[in-house]
Amino acid sequence: METVLLCCKTVGTDSVFTETMWRRSVGAAHTWFGCRSAGPKRIWGPHAVRTCSTPALPPGRITALQAVDLWRRHFEERGVTEPGHSSRYIIAHLLGAKTVESLEHGKLTEFLSQEKTEQMWRLCTRRLSRMPVQYVIEEWDFRDLTLKMRPPVFIPRPETEELVELVLRDLMKNPGTGGDSQHACLEVGCGSGAISLSLLKSLPQLKVIALDQSQAAVDLTVENALRLGLQDRLQVYHIDVMKDAETVLSLCRHVSVLVSNPPYLFSEDVVSLEPEVLRWIHGVIILSAAPRFEDHSALDGGEDGLNVIRQILTLAPHILSNHGRVYLEVDPRHPVLIRPWVEAHVEGLHYVATQHDFTGRPRFCILQKEKSHKDRELYLGLRN
Amino acid sequence: MLIQSAAKTLYFGSLLRKMSRVFSMISYMNSVSNWVIWRGSPRMSPLLNPLPAGLTYILAAGKKDLMDLPVLNEDDLEEQFVRGTGPGGQATNKTSNCVVLRHIPTGIVVKCHQTRSVDINRKRARDIMREKLDVAYKGELSEVIIKKKESVLRKQEKRRKANENLERKKQFKEVLAADLNPEKDTA
């Protein structure tokens, strides 16, 4: 854990990756992705200037605890959500820990250095502009990994940690029989790389192909993979599954797992969320006048929230190996819609189960590929 | 002289053995307090069953049978999240990842906010809960308490030995000084 934390702290916004590292290892055509030198992305730059008044730097020295209290009160006054959590996460980060609770005893009552005080003021000012804490401190935990976070790439939610556990549980029950039959996994919409990297970390034999329609997400996944030393078993491609299904099919064949946390919000909810978001939820979508941090396209799943899900399920039978499975995170209203739709529209895929998340909401769908007709005919032919 | 050196080697031998015991104890305590060890129970929520998570798993490997902690029954547990109402998932971006776990039969409450991952906090909370239950059920006989007492005793013993050594050195120096001084006086 310690090493993960340390390596995630080495700051390097300039792209240092070489394209050769990401060359496709399969197929004849060598398409290279995810290596564009992006340069430092300071999306908050212009917004920070526009933000409202920040409290002046204290004249004398103050303790960490005093700084936390001061900012909590200020966040409260400005209506920033989770004021206490925000200022505590920021100070913990500055003092080299993940949470205030895991700080060394007595650290909070020590005086802050001039440098740390200025850093605290700079980061809290960003939070004041409603930037999510995860973007402010530029990192967040996902299971046992610490990942770099950068706008506008989607911030992984805790529900998704359970999606990974579902996949792991099944893969560990049926480990590949070695040699050629080792498991391969495809992730659609990798964002910061949380799911793919978490799977790779837990299963040292697994290979993963990750896709995202956003170049920023592809870049961040590559960066996180390099930080965690998991790049050797991962291929990342900048592909939109909605527009370029052909390429997806040519890239991925016979994978045993297709996992995705696709955009699943209903469009109407995205719109109706806005005033709610303005008052309560930072980070998802902020009113148009204010900065929009998270990529809209990582959230909006169309009228019924099923646009991307339908596409993934349609492609699934062509991508999966026999008995390969699809694992999806969805809206709680979706499982009852997905099951009949798959039965009516997708041949060779059957609905296995709906799983609930830790808050008790039906959140995950598991589907499995049945032996295709061709295989079945072949099998029957052999028997006769 | 010979007898003394023999005694010395004997002393060092036992010290080495003790030290190795202390080290194994340290790594063992580590595995208990910081690393997640999971033993499955048929009634546990499947998602909270043991899963090797890279380094965590390797460090904890082979150590999980050292302590016979009570198995948690998920039905006896009440868990509190600050995820709130609403649809959750992508629609929410809450950062409060603290987990509060209550064992209903005993009323023991455990709070865990060591990491920013709900998943890891949940697992660690269960780990701490098992230790607390062991203490609650077995009292002074609990392995958790026994091990803790042993480690305290070991530390005290180590400190006593170190102090003795210091004292011996001091006396030796005094003797040396006393040997030298009379010569100075006569000179």
Side-chain angles (χ1 to χ4, degrees):
Chain A
M1 290 297 279
E2 212 52 46
T3 46
V4 171
L5 193 68
L6 283 177
C7 78
C8 285
K9 278 200 180 129
T10 38
V11 183
T13 34
D14 298 299
S15 190
V16 287
F17 323 123
T18 49
E19 297 206 343
T20 44
M21 299 179 69
W22 293 95
R23 199 171 343 135
R24 259 182 66 194
S25 52
V26 283
H30 288 243
T31 332
W32 297 353
F33 291 104
C35 323
R36 202 187 54 171
S37 173
K41 283 179 186 158
R42 294 280 176 228
I43 302 234
W44 51 79
H47 309 308
V49 180
R50 224 179 19 188
T51 52
C52 25
S53 67
T54 45
L57 269 167
R61 296 206 300 165
I62 59 166
T63 66
L65 203 59
Q66 284 169 326
V68 167
D69 272 350
L70 192 146
W71 274 102
R72 179 186 49 78
R73 267 181 280 124
H74 198 71
F75 287 149
E76 236 163 40
E77 281 165 24
R78 317 297 309 209
V80 175
T81 53
E82 301 190 293
H85 280 108
S86 300
S87 71
R88 281 200 297 274
Y89 278 125
I90 292 172
I91 197 78
H93 174 70
L94 285 177
L95 298 177
K98 294 180 170 191
T99 60
V100 162
E101 287 82 351
S102 61
L103 267 174
E104 259 173 69
H105 188 70
K107 267 264 186 184
L108 276 181
T109 44
E110 280 173 23
F111 282 110
L112 287 176
S113 68
Q114 181 67 26
E115 192 198 351
K116 292 269 181 230
T117 314
E118 279 166 17
Q119 280 176 335
M120 177 78 177
W121 254 248
R122 204 181 58 228
L123 294 187
C124 286
T125 307
R126 279 185 204 155
R127 179 73 191 96
L128 209 53
S129 76
R130 295 302 192 90
M131 173 183 271
V133 170
Q134 294 96 330
Y135 290 151
V136 170
I137 63 172
E138 296 176 54
E139 66 174 37
W140 205 248
D141 294 348
F142 185 83
R143 298 185 76 246
D144 54 342
L145 304 178
T146 301
L147 299 169
K148 190 168 171 67
M149 297 288 139
R150 188 167 53 213
V153 183
F154 181 74
I155 298 163
R157 312 290 200 252
E159 283 87 347
T160 311
E161 295 180 313
E162 286 185 295
L163 179 66
V164 172
E165 300 251 343
L166 285 174
V167 178
L168 283 177
R169 198 184 59 186
D170 282 354
L171 280 182
M172 273 171 352
K173 239 190 285 170
N174 313 304
T177 42
D180 295 336
S181 55
Q182 67 182 156
H183 286 303
C185 169
L186 168 70
E187 185 191 0
V188 176
C190 55
S192 60
I195 298 176
S196 288
L197 296 172
S198 207
L199 288 172
L200 285 170
K201 174 99 190 285
S202 296
L203 300 169
Q205 297 295 316
L206 187 75
K207 288 193 170 167
V208 175
I209 301 170
L211 318 175
D212 206 293
Q213 49 84 34
S214 141
Q215 183 65 49
V218 169
D219 291 345
L220 191 59
T221 296
V222 171
E223 196 175 327
N224 276 321
L226 284 167
R227 277 161 186 266
L228 298 164
L230 295 169
Q231 70 277 16
D232 294 342
R233 291 177 286 130
L234 175 69
Q235 296 171 42
V236 195
Y237 298 100
H238 180 202
I239 296 175
D240 187 340
V241 279
M242 300 303 286
K243 293 178 192 145
D244 205 357
E246 296 284 305
T247 316
V248 179
L249 291 179
S250 70
L251 274 175
C252 324
R253 285 265 161 196
H254 308 298
V255 299
S256 29
V257 169
L258 198 173
V259 62
S260 183
N261 173 24
Y264 57 68
L265 295 189
F266 292 50
S267 287
E268 58 171 22
D269 288 355
V270 174
V271 178
S272 66
L273 261 175
E274 285 192 345
E276 184 80 18
V277 163
L278 187 67
R279 268 181 292 126
W280 289 104
I281 310 162
H282 56 265
V284 179
I285 306 109
I286 311 274
L287 279 190
S288 53
R292 179 188 280 176
F293 292 112
E294 280 190 322
D295 199 344
H296 212 122
S297 56
L299 298 162
D300 190 347
E303 195 182 348
D304 54 3
L306 286 171
N307 281 2
V308 186
I309 293 171
R310 271 191 295 259
Q311 176 77 346
I312 290 172
L313 292 175
T314 308
L315 294 176
H318 307 285
I319 292 169
L320 290 172
S321 56
N322 280 333
H323 308 300
R325 286 186 162 193
V326 186
Y327 300 81
L328 294 175
E329 181 180 325
V330 297
D331 185 275
R333 288 163 286 178
H334 279 151
V336 289
L337 299 173
I338 290 174
R339 188 179 202 138
W341 185 85
V342 166
E343 276 160 13
H345 295 94
V346 189
E347 205 182 332
L349 198 64
H350 87 108
Y351 196 95
V352 177
T354 306
Q355 299 279 347
H356 292 67
D357 65 16
F358 60 87
T359 65
R361 296 176 172 99
R363 177 72 64 195
F364 311 107
C365 298
I366 303 177
L367 300 99
Q368 187 162 358
K369 184 185 174 179
E370 294 158 341
K371 271 200 167 191
S372 70
H373 282 305
K374 268 186 205 157
D375 289 348
R376 222 176 279 163
E377 278 159 22
L378 190 72
Y379 176 66
L380 288 172
L382 281 175
R383 259 202 338 184
N384 291 337
Chain B
M1 263 325 249
L2 263 174
I3 296 165
Q4 228 181 348
S5 68
K8 240 181 207 169
T9 42
L10 260 179
Y11 169 72
F12 276 118
S14 72
L15 188 75
L16 272 176
R17 244 176 292 130
K18 270 184 191 152
M19 270 172 64
S20 69
R21 242 194 299 164
V22 169
F23 281 131
S24 68
M25 183 65 199
I26 289 168
S27 54
Y28 167 62
M29 291 299 277
N30 246 342
S31 74
V32 169
S33 59
N34 293 331
W35 304 100
V36 191
I37 309 166
W38 287 105
R39 212 168 314 166
S41 87
R43 302 182 68 182
M44 243 173 127
S45 147
L47 286 183
L48 291 163
N49 271 348
L51 282 176
L55 192 62
T56 309
Y57 186 68
I58 294 159
L59 280 177
K63 305 226 163 83
K64 53 183 157 191
D65 290 327
L66 277 175
M67 251 206 258
D68 188 25
L69 294 177
V71 175
L72 288 182
N73 178 359
E74 281 291 313
D75 293 341
D76 288 344
L77 297 176
E78 196 180 69
E79 212 167 13
Q80 186 192 313
F81 308 101
V82 206
R83 203 78 181 128
T85 53
Q90 292 174 356
T92 336
N93 181 20
K94 289 250 192 282
T95 59
S96 45
N97 291 339
C98 182
V99 170
V100 182
L101 195 64
R102 200 168 81 92
H103 187 251
I104 303 164
T106 58
I108 294 176
V109 176
V110 163
K111 199 175 147 189
C112 183
H113 201 192
Q114 290 176 11
T115 78
R116 297 168 295 207
S117 151
V118 172
D119 185 62
I120 300 290
N121 286 341
R122 286 182 82 192
K123 287 173 176 168
R124 289 198 186 165
R126 277 162 178 75
D127 215 31
I128 300 165
M129 180 63 84
R130 290 176 69 194
E131 282 188 43
K132 292 215 169 185
L133 282 180
D134 197 61
V135 174
Y137 291 150
K138 299 185 195 153
E140 293 290 299
L141 294 173
S142 159
E143 244 180 305
V144 180
I145 292 207
I146 292 170
K147 298 276 179 196
K148 217 173 252 176
K149 274 186 183 162
E150 274 176 13
S151 107
V152 169
L153 277 179
R154 246 191 292 271
K155 261 185 206 156
Q156 281 173 352
E157 175 78 354
K158 215 173 150 187
R159 187 164 305 145
R160 195 179 58 80
K161 287 258 162 68
N163 283 340
E164 270 177 19
N165 271 344
L166 271 178
E167 189 62 29
R168 254 202 301 270
K169 269 184 196 162
K170 215 168 113 188
Q171 277 174 2
F172 181 66
K173 271 185 188 162
E174 274 168 16
V175 171
L176 265 186
D179 281 351
L180 287 172
N181 277 340
E183 283 169 25
K184 266 184 194 167
D185 284 346
T186 52

